[in-house]
Amino acid sequence: MNTPHTPAIPPSVAQTPTRAMVLTLGLVAAICGLIIVSAYEGSLSAVRDNRRVALERAISKVLPGAHQTISYLALSNGAIEPANSDDTPVGALRFHAAYDTTGRLMGIAAEGSAKGYADTVRILFGYSPPCACVVGIGVISMRETPGIGDKILTDTAFLANFKSLDTRLNGELKALANEVKTVKHGTKTQAWQVDAISGATITSRAVGRAINDAAQALLPRLVPKIDQIQKAP
């Protein structure tokens, strides 16, 4: 006589308590966070050193002969104070004072940016207080068309614009006496004009706007207080 088949009853599966699961996930997240923070803190010093070296190289390009550089903040209330951290407070403008081997101020380096053909063009320009003019530029970052827009780095005629680009302030020291403008290639007639590169007009204009906008904002704060930073502290 056949015995009826009794289905096997599967063993019960222990249910993981929700609280235990949450605690486990929390512990894993905490460990991962600790690893990330530790890696960040461990590399922060090297990152800062690399940025400092890159900045010093950029400044030496726009202000050849710079022996020492000190970063300052031009505050909205007109005060000038040392920049003691990498953070720039809201309303403040950061600039870098370059000093020669005797500790005398030889120039100011400042950053400017403007929209180019492909993306924002960020530049560093050197300003000479004695001539109240821009005496050099360097590119911090850009994504312009290779062979066209990137000529702003190599075109000797274009770079000659920045050997003595007029950025004098007006009599009230409230703005530039003349706006820096980029003009069509071959039509420059004034010391405050930038002669564009033929075929790369948009990028050329970005450089002109970057200098104009940065100088219009910084120089009215800086020039009246320039005597405060004539000597390296």
Side-chain angles (χ1 to χ4, degrees):
M1 181 176 179
N2 294 331
T3 303
H5 176 70
T6 302
I9 299 176
S12 59
V13 178
Q15 299 296 315
T16 303
T18 302
R19 183 171 180 273
M21 183 181 297
V22 171
L23 289 175
T24 301
L25 291 175
L27 179 61
V28 171
I31 294 174
C32 291
L34 181 61
I35 293 173
I36 292 173
V37 170
S38 299
Y40 172 78
E41 292 292 340
S43 62
L44 186 58
S45 178
V47 170
R48 287 175 175 170
D49 287 343
N50 289 338
R51 287 178 179 174
R52 176 183 55 78
V53 171
L55 177 62
E56 290 176 352
R57 289 176 178 173
I59 293 174
S60 67
K61 180 178 180 180
V62 300
L63 293 169
H67 177 71
Q68 178 186 9
T69 60
I70 299 176
S71 298
Y72 288 93
L73 297 174
L75 305 181
S76 56
N77 62 6
I80 302 294
E81 65 179 32
N84 295 319
S85 71
D86 293 335
D87 297 327
T88 301
V90 176
L93 300 172
R94 182 180 293 266
F95 67 92
H96 313 280
Y99 298 91
D100 61 20
T101 54
T102 68
R104 299 296 300 177
L105 180 69
M106 60 173 293
I108 301 295
E111 184 178 333
S113 62
K115 182 68 172 66
Y117 180 79
D119 200 356
T120 298
V121 177
R122 294 177 57 214
I123 66 166
L124 189 76
F125 64 91
Y127 169 80
S128 172
C131 73
C133 63
V134 170
V135 293
I137 66 163
V139 173
I140 298 175
S141 65
M142 69 172 182
R143 296 173 58 189
E144 301 300 271
T145 307
I148 301 177
D150 62 0
K151 287 182 179 179
I152 62 173
L153 292 168
T154 58
D155 189 287
T156 55
F158 181 74
L159 295 175
N161 285 296
F162 312 105
K163 290 182 177 180
S164 184
L165 181 68
D166 184 3
T167 49
R168 291 176 295 112
L169 294 180
N170 58 22
E172 295 77 27
L173 304 181
K174 299 297 184 182
L176 295 183
N178 301 283
E179 181 180 353
V180 175
K181 291 185 177 180
T182 302
V183 297
K184 186 178 179 180
H185 179 70
T187 64
K188 176 176 178 175
T189 59
Q190 303 293 341
W192 56 84
Q193 293 177 335
V194 176
D195 192 17
I197 300 173
S198 180
T201 304
I202 295 177
T203 308
S204 301
R205 287 176 177 168
V207 174
R209 284 197 307 272
I211 293 175
N212 179 75
D213 294 350
Q216 294 277 22
L218 174 63
L219 296 185
R221 298 185 189 183
L222 172 61
V223 171
K225 303 293 181 69
I226 198 74
D227 287 344
Q228 296 182 9
I229 59 172
Q230 285 289 349
K231 187 73 175 176

